[in-house]
Each structure stands twice: as C-alpha cells, then as structure tokens.
C-alpha cells in the first residue's frame, strides 16, 4: 500500500510546470474513435485515468503507441468491437465518452455504467436524453449503456435543451452529433474550457462544431472525420492546486504552462484573500506572506468557481483570519475532506451544502485519508502547511489526476515522499 509522507511547514519556492488537462484528455482520447484514422495527441498527462482510457480503447481493437513523452498515436481504424464492460470501464467516470463516440461512429454501443469519485448521486439521464433525441434507442437499466441506432434512419441533428449544465452530457452530445445528418443545437451546454478543447480537437479532424464555450453550441453534421495532431490544454485544476499550495505555505511559485484566463475565478478569490497573483502570457506567479482575509465562495459551472477546487481552496479558508464559508452547488457529497481536515485541527461545520470555517487554523500533522481525487489534493496542501510529519493514505485517488505530484512538489522545496508500506 502506497502512502505519501509530508514533513510540512516549508514554503514552496520556484517554478512548476503544469501538465495537460485530465478532463480534456480523457474526452479527446475517446473522441479519436470518431476519426476512424490515426490521431497524434500531445501534452497528455501521465496519470492513471489516462492509462485507463488507453486500456479501454485497446480492449476494443484500437492501437495506442507512445511516440514521445506526453505524446501518443492512436489508430482507431482497427476497432473491432462496440462493447466495453470491463471493471476498468465501470471504475472510470470518463468511460461514458466511449458510448457517445461509438454511437456516433457505429450507431451501436454497449458500455458499462461509469464509476469515478463518489460525490453522491452522479446521474447520466442528460447523456441518455441527448442520445435518444438524436435517434438512438437506449437501455441503461441493466448495468450498462446499451444503445442502438436504426441503420435506415441513422442519427439526425436535433435541438437539445439541457436542464442543468453538464460537462459530460454536453461532450457526449457533441460526440454523438458530429457525424449525424443535419444540425444539432445544444442549448444551456457546459462552457468549461475542456468542452471548447474537445470541439477544437473535433474541428481539427474535420468536424463543424461552433459556439463551444458559449450558451449555444451548433454542430453541423459531416460525413466523415480524419486524423489530426492535437495538443491538450493545460490543467486549470492542477494549476489552481499549486496556486493554493503557494499561498498555504507562504511561498512564491511561478506556475508555468497555464492559460491565465481559465484561472480567473481562482485568481479573483485568492486576490480577495490578500494573496499576490501576477499574470503572464502562459504563467501565473503566486506569492503570499501576510494575513489571509476570510471570504465566501460558491461553486458554480464555468465561469464560476470550480467544484474541483473546492476541497483545496477550503484549506486556505481554514487558515483565514476569521470566518469563511464555501457553498457547494454541483456535488452533494463533496464534503468528505472535512473530517480529514478536522483531524489536522481545522474547525469546520457543515450545514446542508455549506461548510463554515472558523478560521485561524494552524494545521497540525496527522494520519489522513485521500477520500477522492480533489480531497486528496487538499490533504497534500494542508500537510505542506502543517509543521511536522503527515501521512496521507489511499493516494491512488490523487494519482488519477495529478502528474508526478510528489516529484513536482519536491522540486519546489516541499519535503514530500511516496512510501510503500506493506499491508498488515
Ligand atoms: N447531472 C445530471 N444529469 C446528468 C449529468 C449530470 O443531473 O445526466 C448533474 C450532476 O449530478 C451534477 C451536475 O449535473 O450536479 C454537473 O455534472 P457534470 O455532468 O458536469 O459532471 P461530470 O461530467 O460527471 C465532470 C468532471 C468532474 C467535475 C464535473 C463538474 C470529468 C471526467 N469529470 O464530471 O471532474 O467535477 O464535470 O465540473 O470531466 C475531477 O476532475 O475531480 C472531477 C470530479
């Protein structure tokens, strides 16, 4: 069993390079299925979720070749199956994109229901609604998304209105619509940067997707796609996590390979707290050495404050000079980090969907768990702030989404190591 040990209390100083975005990469890897050709993807993050996507693609016949560090060639001409129901499919959230891509290319998909971090109920009704609107018949009652399209009619473009902003449903609707006949219009789609990235990738393959990043996305169906070379955008959540770590340790980090615009809401809240944030073309510098002001934060779909930064930012709210609060509007079960931070001395009360932080916490070392990916990242940040040795367990969650987190932190002065403990 692997654990992370952090001997905290040392400010982080120096330069850190941000990797490609997990949530864009996992969608684009499955989108290559639609190209029926060879795609070369660059700036791919070397994380377990990406490795999982490759294994799933290989299991249906695609060829995945690593041609350089962070660069992979995917040949989807040789796909021989539209069924994927392994344990891996069921463990990963992003495997639902395989359903959208297979329906779009073959008019057939049988893909195990997706797993992912446990934030309470994670429905896929909007994905199914989109597939059905486009003309698929979908059964999701028997442990998998089982979709068929009548070959005589094929998929046809339609207007699809989403009741709530869903990243996954928006991307899946785009995947199913790019090769459909006619025009599909998505109203109230998610506007996250990774939705724009997937549209850019598909357009580079010959698709006609317009308006990604706005309130209306229009997809004019095309007959076929072709391969392309594409570089994944930087991971705004990895960048945000390092921004918070710089502030929590009273350090000074130059965070490189980012798109500062994607970080605007995180930057705005850090500035409200008194943290210094300087923006450059492709970098931000975050430094801090004073008293943190308390703030109120509410998570919202992009361009609001990202739910995937909630646990990490909460570490800073604990340290502020007075009472702060965080309201979660996306995932009901985001608060599993609270009990772990309490073990480190935080005073947090959760009332419905709002956590109230008493403030002025001086974190102390403890043995804590990484309950999910972002909760695990929050433990790392709190441990870096706490003087003394903290042990973080269940780090497999952290490794789903952060590239070489231990090495990157060590390179900027953090005393952190990964240790293999024998199971007892
Ligand atoms: N929702 C529905 N019905 C659906 C789909 C979603 O009601 O069919 C609701 C959800 O219950 C939730 C809201 O819509 O309240 C937003 O869910 P969304 O579909 O946007 O989430 P997702 O696509 O499953 C992605 C990221 C998550 C991130 C959310 C929100 C991937 C693989 N996952 O999940 O990332 O929290 O968007 O931004 O892209 C992470 O990286 O740590 C992570 C959990």
């Amino acid at each position: 069993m692997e654990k992370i040990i952090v001997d905290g209390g040392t400010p982080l100083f120096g330069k850190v390079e941000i990797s490609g975005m997990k949530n864009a990469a996992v969608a684009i890897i499955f989108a290559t299925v639609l190209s029926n050709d060879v795609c070369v993807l660059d700036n791919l993050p070397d994380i377990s979720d990406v490795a999982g996507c490759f294994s799933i693609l290989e299991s249906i016949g695609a060829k995945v070749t690593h041609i350089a560090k962070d660069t992979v060639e995917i040949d989807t001409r040789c796909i021989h199956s539209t069924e994927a129901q392994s344990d891996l499919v069921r463990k990963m959230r992003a495997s639902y994109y395989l359903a959208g891509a297979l329906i779009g290319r073959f008019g057939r998909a049988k893909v195990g229901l997706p797993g992912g971090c446990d934030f309470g109920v994670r429905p896929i009704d909007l994905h199914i609604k989109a597939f059905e609107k486009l003309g698929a018949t979908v059964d999701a009652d028997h442990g998998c998304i089982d979709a068929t399209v009548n070959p005589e009619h094929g998929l046809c473009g339609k207007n699809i209105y989403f009741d709530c902003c869903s990243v996954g449903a928006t991307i899946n609707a785009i995947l199913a619509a790019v090769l459909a006949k006619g025009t599909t219009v998505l109203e109230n789609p998610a506007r996250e940067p990774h939705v724009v990235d997937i549209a850019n990738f598909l357009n580079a393959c010959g698709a006609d997707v317009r308006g990604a990043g706005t309130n209306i996305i229009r997809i004019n169906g095309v007959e076929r796609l072709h391969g392309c070379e594409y570089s994944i955008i930087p991971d705004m959540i990895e960048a945000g996590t390092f921004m918070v770590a710089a502030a929590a340790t009273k350090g000074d980090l130059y965070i490189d390979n980012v798109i500062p615009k994607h970080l605007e809401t995180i930057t705005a809240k850090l500035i409200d707290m008194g943290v210094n944030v300087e923006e450059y073309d492709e970098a931000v510098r975050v430094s801090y050495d004073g008293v943190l002001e308390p703030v109120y934060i509410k998570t919202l779909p992009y361009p609001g404050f990202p739910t995937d930064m909630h646990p990490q930012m909460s570490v800073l709210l604990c340290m502020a000079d007075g009472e702060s609060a965080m309201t979660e509007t996306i995932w009901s079960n985001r608060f599993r980090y609270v009990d772990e931070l309490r073990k480190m001395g935080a005073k947090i009360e959760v009332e419905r969907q709002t956590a109230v932080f008493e403030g002025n916490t001086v974190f102390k070392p403890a043995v804590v768990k990484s309950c999910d990916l972002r909760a695990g990242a929050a433990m790392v940040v709190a441990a870096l702030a706490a003087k003394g040795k903290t042990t973080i367990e269940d780090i497999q969650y952290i490794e789903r989404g952060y590239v070489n987190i231990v090495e990157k932190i060590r390179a900027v002065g953090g005393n952190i190591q990964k240790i293999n403990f024998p199971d007892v």
Side-chain angles (χ1 to χ4, degrees), residues 22-23 26 93-94 96-97 119 121-127 164-169 192 194 307-308 330-331 334 373-374:
K22 167 180 92 79
N23 288 343
V26 292
R93 189 71 187 161
Y96 51 33
Y97 294 133
F119 307 130
V121 185
R122 297 188 73 176
I124 55 161
D125 55 308
L126 297 174
H127 303 238
C164 72
C165 282
S166 161
V167 172
E192 268 69 1
H194 33 306
T307 175
D308 293 341
I330 313 288
W331 300 120
R334 253 297 182 213
L373 167 57
R374 307 305 171 185

Side-chain angles (χ1 to χ4, degrees), residues 1 89 92 114 132 142 188 206 234 259 290 304 321-322 326 332 357 385 412:
M1 203 201 326
V89 172
M92 280 184 59
E132 288 179 338
H142 301 95
N188 196 28
I259 299 175
D321 186 22
M326 173 79 78
S332 57
F357 305 84
V412 288

Side-chain angles (χ1 to χ4, degrees), residues 328-343:
E328 172 62 43
T329 72
I330 313 288
W331 300 120
S332 57
N333 205 11
R334 253 297 182 213
F335 296 98
R336 297 196 309 161
Y337 69 91
V338 167
D339 282 341
E340 303 306 306
L341 286 187
R342 281 184 185 138
K343 290 180 193 163

Side-chain angles (χ1 to χ4, degrees), residues 23 107 113 191 206 233 254 296 394:
N23 288 343
L113 286 176
R191 290 182 280 162
I233 53 169
Y254 184 84
Y296 172 67
D394 291 341

Side-chain angles (χ1 to χ4, degrees), residues 2-319:
E2 288 184 322
K3 302 181 186 190
I4 286 176
I5 311 282
V6 182
D7 193 352
T10 314
L12 299 185
F13 276 103
K15 178 172 156 181
V16 62
E17 190 85 22
I18 297 305
S19 301
M21 186 193 264
K22 167 180 92 79
N23 288 343
V26 292
I28 290 173
I29 290 168
F30 286 125
T32 61
V33 169
L34 288 161
S35 74
N36 189 13
D37 201 353
V38 179
C39 294
V40 175
L41 302 181
D42 191 23
N43 203 31
L44 277 167
D46 183 10
I47 49 177
S48 59
D49 264 17
V50 161
C53 295
F54 292 151
S55 300
I56 293 169
L57 271 192
E58 284 172 330
S59 75
I60 58 168
K63 277 199 200 118
V64 179
T65 315
H66 292 260
I67 54 177
K69 184 179 171 285
D70 304 338
T71 309
V72 163
E73 183 184 273
I74 305 176
D75 184 350
T76 57
R77 290 173 298 186
C78 32
I79 287 180
H80 53 65
S81 169
T82 53
E83 281 197 32
Q85 298 196 64
S86 60
D87 281 353
L88 194 53
V89 172
R90 292 174 197 286
K91 268 192 211 142
M92 280 184 59
R93 189 71 187 161
S95 58
Y96 51 33
Y97 294 133
L98 182 61
L102 289 173
I103 294 169
R105 174 163 160 198
F106 298 102
R108 179 84 186 94
K110 198 166 180 183
V111 176
L113 286 176
C117 290
D118 176 12
F119 307 130
V121 185
R122 297 188 73 176
I124 55 161
D125 55 308
L126 297 174
H127 303 238
I128 294 167
K129 175 182 161 182
F131 296 151
E132 288 179 338
K133 272 266 187 179
L134 294 168
T137 303
V138 186
D139 175 359
D141 293 336
H142 301 95
C144 64
I145 303 172
D146 189 354
T148 44
V149 178
N150 180 334
E152 274 178 36
H153 304 113
L155 293 168
C156 293
K158 283 277 158 38
N159 276 27
I160 303 171
Y161 175 80
F162 291 113
D163 300 323
C164 72
C165 282
S166 161
V167 172
T170 301
I171 293 177
N172 247 338
I174 296 174
L175 295 177
V178 282
L179 294 172
K181 281 187 227 112
T183 299
T184 298
V185 177
L186 307 182
E187 295 180 60
N188 196 28
R191 290 182 280 162
E192 268 69 1
H194 33 306
V195 173
V196 180
D197 209 35
I198 185 102
N200 288 341
F201 164 76
L202 289 167
N203 289 343
C205 292
D208 186 358
V209 182
R210 301 172 187 205
T214 73
N215 287 338
I216 298 214
I217 299 177
R218 195 175 292 273
I219 305 135
N220 298 312
V222 296
E223 278 203 2
R224 66 180 63 79
L225 300 185
H226 49 74
C228 75
E229 289 187 17
Y230 194 79
S231 186
I232 311 283
I233 53 169
D235 197 312
M236 57 187 254
I237 303 300
E238 188 197 12
T241 304
F242 276 100
M243 291 168 83
V244 168
T249 60
K250 292 189 190 286
D252 185 348
L253 284 183
Y254 184 84
I255 301 166
D256 205 7
N257 186 34
V258 302
I259 299 175
K261 174 136 193 64
H262 295 168
L263 301 170
E264 269 172 358
T265 40
I266 302 166
T267 299
K269 282 298 167 191
L270 288 176
I271 289 174
D272 285 352
M273 295 187 79
V275 177
N276 308 312
V277 184
E278 290 166 32
E279 285 184 8
Y280 302 90
D281 286 349
E282 292 182 357
V284 288
R285 180 178 171 189
V286 181
S287 62
Y288 168 69
D289 188 12
V291 175
L292 289 167
E293 298 293 331
V295 288
Y296 172 67
I297 300 178
K298 187 177 188 175
T299 65
L300 287 168
Y302 190 84
F305 190 87
T307 175
D308 293 341
M309 277 301 297
H310 164 165
Q312 307 89 309
M313 193 71 181
S314 295
V315 174
L316 271 196
L317 301 193
C318 291
M319 299 168 79

